[in-house]
Structures are given as C-alpha cells and as structure tokens.
Amino acid sequence: MFKKLMASAMVAAAALLCATAHADTYPAKPVTIVVPFSPGGATDIMARTLAERMGKRLGQPVIVENKPGAGTMIASDHVAKAVPDGHTLLLAASSLGIAPALYSKVNYDPIKDFTPISLVASVVHVLEVHPSIPAKNVAELIAWIKANPGKANYGSVGAGTSTHLESELFNTMAGVKMQHVPYKGSAPALMDLVGGNLQVMFDAYASSGPFIKDGKVRLLAVTTAQRSRLLPDVPTVAESGLPGYEAMPWLGFVAPAGTPAPVVNKLHAELMEVLKEPEVQDKFRSLGLDIIGNSPKEFGEFLKKDIVKWAKVVKDSGAKAD
C-alpha cells in the first residue's frame, strides 16, 4: 500500500513539475490564432489587434491564420486536432456550439475537444425594421405581425447563422410567424431591407449602423440581456416587448483539449491585460463589439448553456444548414 501511495505521489509530483516547466518555457515558438472567417472582416481585425499586443506580452510572434468555410467547422476541426501545447488557438464564434445541431456531420465535440480560455466579446446585434412598418418598439412590432399575417419577411445572412436563429427564437417566443429569406451575407439582405422587400431583420450593428443613422432602417432594440455599452440608449428586446428574450453572438478563445492549465492561465492573464488597453477598447467599439473577458471556468459553463439553448431553437424551428 505504501509503495502504491509513493508511486502516486511521484506521478503527481512529476505532473506538477511538467506543468510548471510548460508555464516557464511557454511560448517556445510563435503562437497561431486560427480565425474561422475571411481576412478583412470584423473578427479578423479583432484577432489581429489582439495578436499584435499579445505577441509583445508573450515574447513571441502571434500569427493570425484564416481558415474560413463550412460554417466555421474547418477552422474548429483544425484546432481540435492540433498539438495541445498552447501554440495553436481558435478564435471561436457562437457557431462552435451551434454547428452540431445544424449539420449532420461535425468532426469535433465543442466541449470535449477544446479547452476554454476566455469569452472575449459579444457582437452587438440589433432588431431593425423598414421605416414603412409603424412599429416603434418590439411590442408594437409583434402586434403588427399578428395583425398582418403573411406580410412579415425577415432576412438573414444565411441559413443556420446567428441572425437566422435569433429570428426563429423571436418567432417562437412571440408566437408569430415571419417568413425567412436567407442571403449570402449582410450586404444583400440590408439592400432588400432598405428597398422594402424585407420588413424585419436581425443584424450586426457594425453593418447596419450606417443605414440606421441615415434613417433608411429603424432600430428597435438590441438582442442582449443587458443594454450594450455601444448603444446605451437603445432598449433590449426583452425590456421593450418580449420578456426573457436574449441572443448574444460571441467570440472567444479556446485551445485544443489537454492544453496544460498553467499555459491556459498564462494566456488568460495576458489576454485580460490586453483587453484593458484603451486602444483595444476603442478598436472593439469601432467594430461593434462589447468586451467581456471572463475566466476559463466561466466560459466553459457559458458554452455548455449556449449549446443547449440553440440546439432547442434549431429543433423547434427545423433549421438545417445542409
């Protein structure tokens, strides 16, 4: 018995020494942030902003590698299979957890195959309508849709995307039936909203902002549970007519499962410092992002709840992406 206890103690000590060594020598080479979207978009700009500053703090270059496609699954699968040493990270989006409910074949498990580092930011999404719709708030919009069956068409940036599911969550909770019109991106959907071919749209404020400011579309609410720091005077969907509604598209860092805790903690600590920088905060605001920053444990718990929530929305709406 004593020998077994000694052996266990030696194994634990060796593991502790190994973990400490990982923290002391990390990073031993450049760190790669894999972005599941094309270069030039808000997520890519955000990643490059963080990469530059984290590289200075870590003492090694931090490189951004874009791997778009397949509803962000190409990038996610790539990182899930990477060596778990902290040198390959994924700037994950909400789709990390939504994809298994939407696609018939997903080659990764969003919980088992990743180690959470931090929820970095929420993407400010808004509910907007064409100016011809008389609604000035969410309660009035719901009443208008019910009074005009078959007349409310909503646009999304694609089947299975966050804007599609946000709209279907609205349909379910409000007890209404808006017709879905999917587009390949925000720009063509916005053009049809401005032109009056669509009546309603959930969209990122970063893309809709100019049309809202010009009065070409009317902003009703933000989708998050609390008001956005970016739009403090704009009510939430929940407080303006649909209690309990919440939709928060997010971006966060994860590493492959098995990444040593000291490495995760080091990455987390440096990221938290970077997120405090005024220049970073200004850049995030310009991209339509609200900074969050939480612990690996908190992010992990959030991700589990988010997966359950959107799986139900997918099931209830019958949404599929393939």
Side-chain angles (χ1 to χ4, degrees), residues 39-73:
T43 307
D44 177 66
I45 295 170
M46 167 187 163
R48 294 178 190 278
T49 300
L50 296 177
E52 178 186 358
R53 287 159 175 81
M54 288 186 71
K56 293 176 181 178
R57 299 189 67 89
L58 291 170
Q60 286 281 0
V62 177
I63 301 163
V64 173
E65 182 179 357
N66 300 89
K67 284 187 174 294
T72 74
M73 291 191 295

mmCIF file of all heavy atoms in Angstrom, residues 39-73:
data_model
loop_
_atom_site.group_PDB
_atom_site.id
_atom_site.type_symbol
_atom_site.label_atom_id
_atom_site.label_comp_id
_atom_site.label_asym_id
_atom_site.label_seq_id
_atom_site.Cartn_x
_atom_site.Cartn_y
_atom_site.Cartn_z
ATOM 1 N N PRO A 39 -10.170 37.091 -44.312
ATOM 2 C CA PRO A 39 -9.453 38.307 -43.908
ATOM 3 C C PRO A 39 -10.286 39.556 -44.185
ATOM 4 O O PRO A 39 -11.095 39.593 -45.114
ATOM 5 C CB PRO A 39 -8.199 38.284 -44.793
ATOM 6 C CG PRO A 39 -8.039 36.871 -45.210
ATOM 7 C CD PRO A 39 -9.429 36.317 -45.323
ATOM 8 N N GLY A 40 -10.097 40.579 -43.345
ATOM 9 C CA GLY A 40 -10.715 41.867 -43.585
ATOM 10 C C GLY A 40 -11.993 42.134 -42.824
ATOM 11 O O GLY A 40 -12.402 43.288 -42.687
ATOM 12 N N GLY A 41 -12.645 41.086 -42.313
ATOM 13 C CA GLY A 41 -13.880 41.273 -41.563
ATOM 14 C C GLY A 41 -13.601 41.683 -40.126
ATOM 15 O O GLY A 41 -12.450 41.738 -39.679
ATOM 16 N N ALA A 42 -14.677 41.950 -39.387
ATOM 17 C CA ALA A 42 -14.529 42.431 -38.014
ATOM 18 C C ALA A 42 -13.792 41.430 -37.126
ATOM 19 O O ALA A 42 -12.946 41.814 -36.315
ATOM 20 C CB ALA A 42 -15.910 42.730 -37.423
ATOM 21 N N THR A 43 -14.104 40.146 -37.283
ATOM 22 C CA THR A 43 -13.446 39.131 -36.450
ATOM 23 C C THR A 43 -11.961 39.054 -36.761
ATOM 24 O O THR A 43 -11.129 38.930 -35.854
ATOM 25 C CB THR A 43 -14.100 37.753 -36.659
ATOM 26 O OG1 THR A 43 -15.512 37.865 -36.449
ATOM 27 C CG2 THR A 43 -13.537 36.733 -35.682
ATOM 28 N N ASP A 44 -11.623 39.144 -38.029
ATOM 29 C CA ASP A 44 -10.214 39.113 -38.430
ATOM 30 C C ASP A 44 -9.465 40.330 -37.886
ATOM 31 O O ASP A 44 -8.353 40.199 -37.363
ATOM 32 C CB ASP A 44 -10.125 39.074 -39.955
ATOM 33 C CG ASP A 44 -8.693 39.113 -40.464
ATOM 34 O OD1 ASP A 44 -7.952 38.140 -40.221
ATOM 35 O OD2 ASP A 44 -8.307 40.120 -41.090
ATOM 36 N N ILE A 45 -10.071 41.501 -37.986
ATOM 37 C CA ILE A 45 -9.436 42.723 -37.474
ATOM 38 C C ILE A 45 -9.256 42.629 -35.961
ATOM 39 O O ILE A 45 -8.218 43.010 -35.407
ATOM 40 C CB ILE A 45 -10.271 43.962 -37.849
ATOM 41 C CG1 ILE A 45 -10.286 44.138 -39.368
ATOM 42 C CG2 ILE A 45 -9.725 45.224 -37.173
ATOM 43 C CD1 ILE A 45 -11.276 45.185 -39.861
ATOM 44 N N MET A 46 -10.267 42.108 -35.293
ATOM 45 C CA MET A 46 -10.178 41.906 -33.847
ATOM 46 C C MET A 46 -9.026 40.979 -33.501
ATOM 47 O O MET A 46 -8.231 41.247 -32.598
ATOM 48 C CB MET A 46 -11.497 41.314 -33.341
ATOM 49 C CG MET A 46 -11.440 40.766 -31.932
ATOM 50 S SD MET A 46 -12.990 39.909 -31.522
ATOM 51 C CE MET A 46 -12.450 38.967 -30.096
ATOM 52 N N ALA A 47 -8.917 39.864 -34.227
ATOM 53 C CA ALA A 47 -7.853 38.894 -33.965
ATOM 54 C C ALA A 47 -6.478 39.517 -34.159
ATOM 55 O O ALA A 47 -5.561 39.294 -33.348
ATOM 56 C CB ALA A 47 -8.013 37.686 -34.887
ATOM 57 N N ARG A 48 -6.310 40.310 -35.199
ATOM 58 C CA ARG A 48 -5.014 40.923 -35.475
ATOM 59 C C ARG A 48 -4.669 41.995 -34.443
ATOM 60 O O ARG A 48 -3.503 42.183 -34.086
ATOM 61 C CB ARG A 48 -4.989 41.485 -36.902
ATOM 62 C CG ARG A 48 -5.078 40.373 -37.941
ATOM 63 C CD ARG A 48 -5.113 40.852 -39.373
ATOM 64 N NE ARG A 48 -5.432 39.739 -40.252
ATOM 65 C CZ ARG A 48 -4.545 38.830 -40.691
ATOM 66 N NH1 ARG A 48 -3.274 38.949 -40.339
ATOM 67 N NH2 ARG A 48 -4.929 37.835 -41.462
ATOM 68 N N THR A 49 -5.696 42.679 -33.953
ATOM 69 C CA THR A 49 -5.489 43.664 -32.889
ATOM 70 C C THR A 49 -4.959 42.984 -31.633
ATOM 71 O O THR A 49 -4.000 43.450 -30.998
ATOM 72 C CB THR A 49 -6.802 44.397 -32.576
ATOM 73 O OG1 THR A 49 -7.251 45.076 -33.752
ATOM 74 C CG2 THR A 49 -6.615 45.409 -31.454
ATOM 75 N N LEU A 50 -5.572 41.876 -31.267
ATOM 76 C CA LEU A 50 -5.149 41.142 -30.078
ATOM 77 C C LEU A 50 -3.799 40.462 -30.299
ATOM 78 O O LEU A 50 -2.964 40.425 -29.391
ATOM 79 C CB LEU A 50 -6.205 40.096 -29.709
ATOM 80 C CG LEU A 50 -7.576 40.639 -29.296
ATOM 81 C CD1 LEU A 50 -8.542 39.494 -29.035
ATOM 82 C CD2 LEU A 50 -7.463 41.525 -28.065
ATOM 83 N N ALA A 51 -3.585 39.923 -31.500
ATOM 84 C CA ALA A 51 -2.344 39.200 -31.793
ATOM 85 C C ALA A 51 -1.121 40.098 -31.631
ATOM 86 O O ALA A 51 -0.107 39.694 -31.055
ATOM 87 C CB ALA A 51 -2.401 38.626 -33.210
ATOM 88 N N GLU A 52 -1.230 41.306 -32.141
ATOM 89 C CA GLU A 52 -0.101 42.232 -32.067
ATOM 90 C C GLU A 52 0.297 42.499 -30.613
ATOM 91 O O GLU A 52 1.472 42.464 -30.248
ATOM 92 C CB GLU A 52 -0.465 43.542 -32.755
ATOM 93 C CG GLU A 52 0.633 44.596 -32.686
ATOM 94 C CD GLU A 52 0.193 45.937 -33.236
ATOM 95 O OE1 GLU A 52 -0.951 46.048 -33.717
ATOM 96 O OE2 GLU A 52 1.003 46.885 -33.166
ATOM 97 N N ARG A 53 -0.686 42.745 -29.782
ATOM 98 C CA ARG A 53 -0.404 43.100 -28.388
ATOM 99 C C ARG A 53 -0.042 41.892 -27.536
ATOM 100 O O ARG A 53 0.806 41.974 -26.652
ATOM 101 C CB ARG A 53 -1.616 43.832 -27.806
ATOM 102 C CG ARG A 53 -1.725 45.244 -28.363
ATOM 103 C CD ARG A 53 -3.112 45.819 -28.240
ATOM 104 N NE ARG A 53 -3.140 47.212 -28.669
ATOM 105 C CZ ARG A 53 -3.207 47.595 -29.948
ATOM 106 N NH1 ARG A 53 -3.240 46.692 -30.909
ATOM 107 N NH2 ARG A 53 -3.218 48.887 -30.260
ATOM 108 N N MET A 54 -0.674 40.751 -27.807
ATOM 109 C CA MET A 54 -0.328 39.556 -27.052
ATOM 110 C C MET A 54 1.073 39.072 -27.391
ATOM 111 O O MET A 54 1.789 38.539 -26.546
ATOM 112 C CB MET A 54 -1.363 38.458 -27.303
ATOM 113 C CG MET A 54 -2.691 38.744 -26.630
ATOM 114 S SD MET A 54 -3.888 37.390 -26.768
ATOM 115 C CE MET A 54 -3.131 36.181 -25.668
ATOM 116 N N GLY A 55 1.472 39.273 -28.644
ATOM 117 C CA GLY A 55 2.821 38.893 -29.040
ATOM 118 C C GLY A 55 3.876 39.641 -28.238
ATOM 119 O O GLY A 55 4.883 39.063 -27.809
ATOM 120 N N LYS A 56 3.629 40.912 -28.016
ATOM 121 C CA LYS A 56 4.573 41.719 -27.236
ATOM 122 C C LYS A 56 4.637 41.230 -25.788
ATOM 123 O O LYS A 56 5.715 41.186 -25.184
ATOM 124 C CB LYS A 56 4.162 43.188 -27.269
ATOM 125 C CG LYS A 56 4.294 43.833 -28.646
ATOM 126 C CD LYS A 56 3.782 45.266 -28.632
ATOM 127 C CE LYS A 56 3.895 45.894 -30.025
ATOM 128 N NZ LYS A 56 3.352 47.277 -30.062
ATOM 129 N N ARG A 57 3.507 40.845 -25.248
ATOM 130 C CA ARG A 57 3.472 40.405 -23.859
ATOM 131 C C ARG A 57 4.046 39.002 -23.693
ATOM 132 O O ARG A 57 4.649 38.683 -22.661
ATOM 133 C CB ARG A 57 2.034 40.448 -23.319
ATOM 134 C CG ARG A 57 1.411 41.849 -23.334
ATOM 135 C CD ARG A 57 0.083 41.866 -22.601
ATOM 136 N NE ARG A 57 0.289 41.628 -21.179
ATOM 137 C CZ ARG A 57 0.521 42.567 -20.284
ATOM 138 N NH1 ARG A 57 0.579 43.843 -20.657
ATOM 139 N NH2 ARG A 57 0.693 42.267 -19.018
ATOM 140 N N LEU A 58 3.853 38.145 -24.687
ATOM 141 C CA LEU A 58 4.323 36.759 -24.589
ATOM 142 C C LEU A 58 5.778 36.589 -25.020
ATOM 143 O O LEU A 58 6.396 35.570 -24.731
ATOM 144 C CB LEU A 58 3.436 35.850 -25.448
ATOM 145 C CG LEU A 58 2.001 35.647 -24.956
ATOM 146 C CD1 LEU A 58 1.179 34.923 -26.019
ATOM 147 C CD2 LEU A 58 1.982 34.850 -23.655
ATOM 148 N N GLY A 59 6.305 37.578 -25.734
ATOM 149 C CA GLY A 59 7.703 37.475 -26.171
ATOM 150 C C GLY A 59 7.905 36.606 -27.392
ATOM 151 O O GLY A 59 9.034 36.202 -27.699
ATOM 152 N N GLN A 60 6.831 36.278 -28.090
ATOM 153 C CA GLN A 60 6.889 35.510 -29.332
ATOM 154 C C GLN A 60 5.864 36.086 -30.301
ATOM 155 O O GLN A 60 4.832 36.622 -29.870
ATOM 156 C CB GLN A 60 6.557 34.029 -29.087
ATOM 157 C CG GLN A 60 7.647 33.214 -28.409
ATOM 158 C CD GLN A 60 8.755 32.784 -29.386
ATOM 159 O OE1 GLN A 60 8.703 33.095 -30.582
ATOM 160 N NE2 GLN A 60 9.754 32.083 -28.859
ATOM 161 N N PRO A 61 6.131 35.982 -31.600
ATOM 162 C CA PRO A 61 5.128 36.463 -32.556
ATOM 163 C C PRO A 61 3.817 35.698 -32.404
ATOM 164 O O PRO A 61 3.816 34.491 -32.146
ATOM 165 C CB PRO A 61 5.776 36.161 -33.925
ATOM 166 C CG PRO A 61 7.230 36.032 -33.650
ATOM 167 C CD PRO A 61 7.346 35.465 -32.265
ATOM 168 N N VAL A 62 2.698 36.400 -32.536
ATOM 169 C CA VAL A 62 1.381 35.761 -32.567
ATOM 170 C C VAL A 62 0.820 36.000 -33.965
ATOM 171 O O VAL A 62 0.627 37.136 -34.387
ATOM 172 C CB VAL A 62 0.443 36.321 -31.486
ATOM 173 C CG1 VAL A 62 -0.933 35.675 -31.602
ATOM 174 C CG2 VAL A 62 1.021 36.071 -30.097
ATOM 175 N N ILE A 63 0.598 34.930 -34.672
ATOM 176 C CA ILE A 63 0.226 34.973 -36.089
ATOM 177 C C ILE A 63 -1.257 34.658 -36.253
ATOM 178 O O ILE A 63 -1.787 33.763 -35.589
ATOM 179 C CB ILE A 63 1.065 33.945 -36.880
ATOM 180 C CG1 ILE A 63 2.554 34.244 -36.716
ATOM 181 C CG2 ILE A 63 0.669 33.936 -38.347
ATOM 182 C CD1 ILE A 63 3.444 33.088 -37.095
ATOM 183 N N VAL A 64 -1.914 35.369 -37.148
ATOM 184 C CA VAL A 64 -3.318 35.091 -37.463
ATOM 185 C C VAL A 64 -3.379 34.277 -38.746
ATOM 186 O O VAL A 64 -2.800 34.658 -39.760
ATOM 187 C CB VAL A 64 -4.132 36.387 -37.618
ATOM 188 C CG1 VAL A 64 -5.545 36.083 -38.126
ATOM 189 C CG2 VAL A 64 -4.201 37.129 -36.289
ATOM 190 N N GLU A 65 -4.073 33.160 -38.681
ATOM 191 C CA GLU A 65 -4.258 32.296 -39.851
ATOM 192 C C GLU A 65 -5.748 32.152 -40.126
ATOM 193 O O GLU A 65 -6.497 31.690 -39.264
ATOM 194 C CB GLU A 65 -3.637 30.918 -39.602
ATOM 195 C CG GLU A 65 -3.749 29.971 -40.778
ATOM 196 C CD GLU A 65 -3.101 28.619 -40.530
ATOM 197 O OE1 GLU A 65 -2.507 28.426 -39.449
ATOM 198 O OE2 GLU A 65 -3.200 27.762 -41.417
ATOM 199 N N ASN A 66 -6.178 32.558 -41.300
ATOM 200 C CA ASN A 66 -7.595 32.486 -41.655
ATOM 201 C C ASN A 66 -7.926 31.146 -42.299
ATOM 202 O O ASN A 66 -7.274 30.735 -43.255
ATOM 203 C CB ASN A 66 -7.964 33.611 -42.618
ATOM 204 C CG ASN A 66 -7.712 34.978 -42.032
ATOM 205 O OD1 ASN A 66 -6.610 35.520 -42.162
ATOM 206 N ND2 ASN A 66 -8.701 35.539 -41.378
ATOM 207 N N LYS A 67 -8.952 30.476 -41.743
ATOM 208 C CA LYS A 67 -9.426 29.212 -42.309
ATOM 209 C C LYS A 67 -10.953 29.249 -42.385
ATOM 210 O O LYS A 67 -11.650 28.622 -41.596
ATOM 211 C CB LYS A 67 -8.966 28.024 -41.451
ATOM 212 C CG LYS A 67 -7.500 27.666 -41.631
ATOM 213 C CD LYS A 67 -7.147 26.398 -40.890
ATOM 214 C CE LYS A 67 -5.723 25.961 -41.181
ATOM 215 N NZ LYS A 67 -5.521 25.564 -42.602
ATOM 216 N N PRO A 68 -11.491 30.028 -43.334
ATOM 217 C CA PRO A 68 -12.952 30.144 -43.436
ATOM 218 C C PRO A 68 -13.575 28.923 -44.091
ATOM 219 O O PRO A 68 -12.886 28.104 -44.708
ATOM 220 C CB PRO A 68 -13.110 31.386 -44.324
ATOM 221 C CG PRO A 68 -11.897 31.369 -45.201
ATOM 222 C CD PRO A 68 -10.784 30.839 -44.340
ATOM 223 N N GLY A 69 -14.888 28.818 -43.938
ATOM 224 C CA GLY A 69 -15.624 27.788 -44.659
ATOM 225 C C GLY A 69 -16.363 26.820 -43.767
ATOM 226 O O GLY A 69 -16.063 26.658 -42.586
ATOM 227 N N ALA A 70 -17.391 26.183 -44.360
ATOM 228 C CA ALA A 70 -18.185 25.140 -43.711
ATOM 229 C C ALA A 70 -18.764 25.598 -42.374
ATOM 230 O O ALA A 70 -18.743 24.857 -41.395
ATOM 231 C CB ALA A 70 -17.354 23.878 -43.534
ATOM 232 N N GLY A 71 -19.281 26.818 -42.352
ATOM 233 C CA GLY A 71 -19.900 27.303 -41.130
ATOM 234 C C GLY A 71 -18.953 27.356 -39.955
ATOM 235 O O GLY A 71 -19.364 27.101 -38.816
ATOM 236 N N THR A 72 -17.702 27.686 -40.206
ATOM 237 C CA THR A 72 -16.587 27.786 -39.243
ATOM 238 C C THR A 72 -16.047 26.424 -38.811
ATOM 239 O O THR A 72 -15.129 26.351 -37.986
ATOM 240 C CB THR A 72 -16.939 28.605 -37.969
ATOM 241 O OG1 THR A 72 -17.806 27.851 -37.112
ATOM 242 C CG2 THR A 72 -17.591 29.933 -38.309
ATOM 243 N N MET A 73 -16.561 25.335 -39.379
ATOM 244 C CA MET A 73 -16.132 23.997 -38.939
ATOM 245 C C MET A 73 -14.724 23.629 -39.401
ATOM 246 O O MET A 73 -14.047 22.828 -38.755
ATOM 247 C CB MET A 73 -17.136 22.942 -39.394
ATOM 248 C CG MET A 73 -18.465 23.038 -38.684
ATOM 249 S SD MET A 73 -19.550 21.605 -38.974
ATOM 250 C CE MET A 73 -19.856 21.778 -40.735
#
